[in-house]
Amino acid sequence: MEGKKFDPNSIIGFVLIFGILLWIMWQNQPTEADIAADKVKKELVIQDAKTKEAQAKAIAEPAVITTGDTLQMAQLQKSLGDFAYSATLPSAKDSYTTIENKLVKLKIANKGGYIVEATLKNFERFKKGSGELVDLIKDNNANLNVQLLTSDNRTLNTKDLYFEPTLTKNGEDQILVMRLKAGANEYLEYKYVLKADDYMLDFDIHTQGLNKVLDASKPLKLEWDLKSYTNEKSISYENRYSELYYEHEDGKSDYLGLGNDESETVEKVSYVAYKQHFFSSILLTSTPFEKAELYSNNLVNDEETDTIFTKQFKAVVPLAFKNGEIDEKMNWYYGPTDYKLLKSYDRNIEDIVALGWGIFGWINRHAFIPMYGFLSMFIQHGWAIILFTILIKLVMSPITYKSFLSQAKMKVLRPEINELGEKFKKDPMKKQQETMKLYNKAGVNPMAGCVPGLLQMPVFYALFQFFPSAIGLRQQGFLWANDLSSYDSVYELPFNIPAYGNHISLFPILASIAIFFYMKMTTGDQQMAAPQQEGMPDMAKMMKIMIYVSPLMMLFFFNSYASGLSLYYFVSNSITIGIMLVIKNYIIDSDKIHAQIQENKKKEPKKQGKFQRKLQEVMEQAEAQKAKDKKK
């Protein structure tokens, strides 16, 4: 095959083309005059853009005009009516006034006259040292609006109109008056009074000289809505305790559901609270609103993507006219959902802290909150939980002892119960009757082991409510946990496990292990004590399954719960195991119990209790019916 030969003509062609391109580029380079002209053109474009921006701003913001400018005033009056006056003032611009104390910082806008930022100075988001303070209101997540119905059939919204601010002081109190003016002495007024070292501020809505401007035949509508920001590590946990609360007739507190698009209309409402787990925004009134339309919507559908807000809340309440004017005395609260702090205001707003109903709430309010509050004053919160748990277990130890004593008695009677089972194998009803006679003769109550367990249930449930509501645990570290109010992640998983999460918490693992050994010890004795009943499920097999299922359920359920609660269950079950071993090995003597039972058998049988007597009657009736059926 012939090789490819070198072609000098191709090289010459490429050189000529390259030279032509260089000559064209040199000929077309801009002169100094072209550069100058281009610069002028760019400046004209920039100037034109600025002019258009200024024109757009002028349209968006009413210009400050004089009363002599009748044309512009006429245009404003066409859209705003008498409230066109407010657009002529120097305050008709996007300016803000800030009032603050050591606890809270509030920023109020001229446009709308409402709070556009509410920052809690002593609390940080997500974790201690994050440097990001808790903001209950920021970046337009909240609105306050009064719908104005004018006498000339206009509907205006205060959130779109400009107020004139006046800031004064009375001692340490900061007083901010925001007036939406329809004339020099005709206005709608918002009055904010922030005291020193207080999360609660006074908030009044008042009108003056508007009896001819507004249509007083219908009440005004006050609308307050807020989207609650996430402030905690676990979105699902925080969302579970973010709710809309209210107090209605006779001082009764209630709340909307946690689902999507919950709504309710309630009468005689004295406060509406938007609770964000550990922080709350509350509107209170001295004279109850005739009614309130309340809305709540869950915004967390997917924890991986819905990470900014938890709930959207809204309330619509009427503001009634009195003698042609509005005069409402109210309060705002922006602060922590702290039971003791909220109770100090004596307005029943402490009811928004979920402590449980009935006996459970009573135990929390009158026992656990004072006890834990006292302990946490002197020692670290983690150690306070441990000491708190020890004290509860000591108080409950007599009940634990009664339960174990009942189990020991049943265990001693087990051989005799088995004999009755063999003797009356073919007659289950007779076996039941003889077994009950044996219990009565020996002075043993088969239900005695259940009663102590039932007595412990209120304490168990009360504690389950107590820990998620204890704001004192928030961002308090202990051992490897940096926040006892949230989960104690020791390892982040690269994937998400349904119902478990994307992290591994250690305290729930320890609590699950303790529950496993506790159930292993107790169910073993219960299986030996309780005889198998004819026609009934095999409880021994069920209890064996529960030994493994219960700890596994707790491991999944508590993985994203407060580590303080898991710490309590770990310590509580560990102490219970210790108490069980002491009672079993050093207090309860099976031989003495057996001897005592034998002595009881020699005595006259005790009078049966109502339950035992009723059970005996039922058995006898069933036995008689059975004999009757056989004769047929």
Side-chain angles (χ1 to χ4, degrees), residues 132-248:
E132 189 177 354
L133 295 177
V134 169
D135 287 299
L136 299 183
I137 300 176
K138 70 171 183 178
D139 298 337
N140 300 314
N141 74 311
N143 265 314
L144 179 72
N145 179 58
V146 176
Q147 193 178 81
L148 305 175
L149 303 176
T150 66
S151 55
D152 56 356
N153 296 321
R154 300 176 194 274
T155 300
L156 303 176
N157 294 298
T158 59
K159 66 180 181 180
D160 300 323
L161 305 175
Y162 286 90
F163 287 65
E164 182 181 61
T166 304
L167 179 61
T168 58
K169 279 193 173 184
N170 182 13
E172 293 187 352
D173 295 351
Q174 298 171 67
I175 304 169
L176 176 62
V177 174
M178 306 291 294
R179 287 179 177 173
L180 172 62
K181 292 190 171 183
N185 296 305
E186 301 167 347
Y187 52 80
L188 168 71
E189 176 183 279
Y190 293 167
K191 183 180 179 181
Y192 300 90
V193 181
L194 180 63
K195 303 176 182 68
D197 299 326
D198 201 347
Y199 290 103
M200 184 84 75
L201 65 150
D202 298 338
F203 176 62
D204 300 340
I205 298 182
H206 171 73
T207 62
Q208 179 172 305
L210 297 182
N211 52 336
K212 294 181 180 179
V213 176
L214 297 177
D215 179 5
S217 64
K218 297 178 182 178
L220 303 182
K221 279 187 179 181
L222 184 146
E223 303 168 344
W224 175 39
D225 60 87
L226 180 144
K227 289 202 294 186
S228 57
Y229 281 108
T230 57
N231 292 302
E232 312 303 326
K233 233 175 16 175
S234 174
I235 296 169
S236 59
Y237 190 61
E238 180 180 8
N239 195 38
R240 188 179 293 116
Y241 295 98
S242 295
E243 302 170 272
L244 189 155
Y245 279 81
Y246 57 90
E247 183 184 65
H248 54 109

Side-chain angles (χ1 to χ4, degrees), residues 293-491:
E293 299 171 23
L294 305 174
Y295 307 88
S296 175
N297 188 29
N298 179 32
L299 301 178
V300 181
N301 297 311
D302 184 350
E303 293 177 25
E304 297 298 316
T305 57
D306 301 328
T307 59
I308 299 175
F309 302 104
T310 55
K311 295 284 195 313
Q312 178 154 18
F313 303 117
K314 184 177 181 180
V316 179
V317 298
L319 303 178
F321 283 92
K322 296 174 184 176
N323 300 320
E325 302 288 359
I326 298 290
D327 190 16
E328 291 283 346
K329 305 291 184 184
M330 295 178 282
N331 298 92
W332 289 110
Y333 175 87
Y334 293 105
T337 313
D338 185 318
Y339 179 82
K340 287 185 178 179
L341 175 61
L342 295 175
K343 187 175 176 59
S344 69
Y345 291 108
D346 196 24
R347 304 282 294 272
N348 295 333
I349 53 177
E350 71 274 10
D351 290 345
I352 72 172
V353 182
L355 297 175
W357 54 271
I359 184 66
F360 313 116
W362 188 93
I363 292 171
N364 276 324
R365 284 189 292 271
H366 300 287
F368 292 162
I369 289 178
M371 186 194 306
Y372 184 80
F374 176 77
L375 294 174
S376 61
M377 288 171 59
F378 302 100
I379 55 177
Q380 186 185 6
H381 281 272
W383 293 111
I385 291 174
I386 293 173
L387 184 55
F388 177 70
T389 309
I390 292 171
L391 291 174
I392 291 173
K393 298 309 291 185
L394 287 175
V395 171
M396 302 296 291
S397 58
I399 297 175
T400 306
Y401 172 74
K402 287 284 186 183
S403 178
F404 273 80
L405 181 61
S406 176
Q407 288 182 22
K409 288 180 178 180
M410 294 290 290
K411 188 176 178 181
V412 168
L413 284 177
R414 181 62 186 251
E416 295 182 55
I417 293 171
N418 288 340
E419 288 179 10
L420 291 174
E422 287 296 321
K423 185 176 180 180
F424 300 103
K425 185 187 297 184
K426 296 182 179 180
D427 193 347
M429 190 62 67
K430 185 67 173 176
K431 186 184 80 169
Q432 288 284 1
Q433 290 175 341
E434 293 300 318
T435 301
M436 294 302 296
K437 286 180 183 178
L438 175 63
Y439 286 148
N440 188 42
K441 196 173 183 182
V444 175
N445 185 354
M447 300 299 295
C450 302
V451 174
L454 293 174
L455 291 175
Q456 293 183 67
M457 287 302 294
V459 175
F460 175 87
Y461 184 77
L463 286 165
F464 185 77
Q465 294 290 107
F466 169 77
F467 281 101
S469 300
I471 192 173
L473 298 178
R474 187 176 186 270
Q475 296 179 0
Q476 295 294 325
F478 181 67
L479 299 178
W480 55 85
N482 56 19
D483 187 347
L484 288 168
S485 73
S486 188
Y487 58 83
D488 58 309
S489 176
V490 293
Y491 184 75

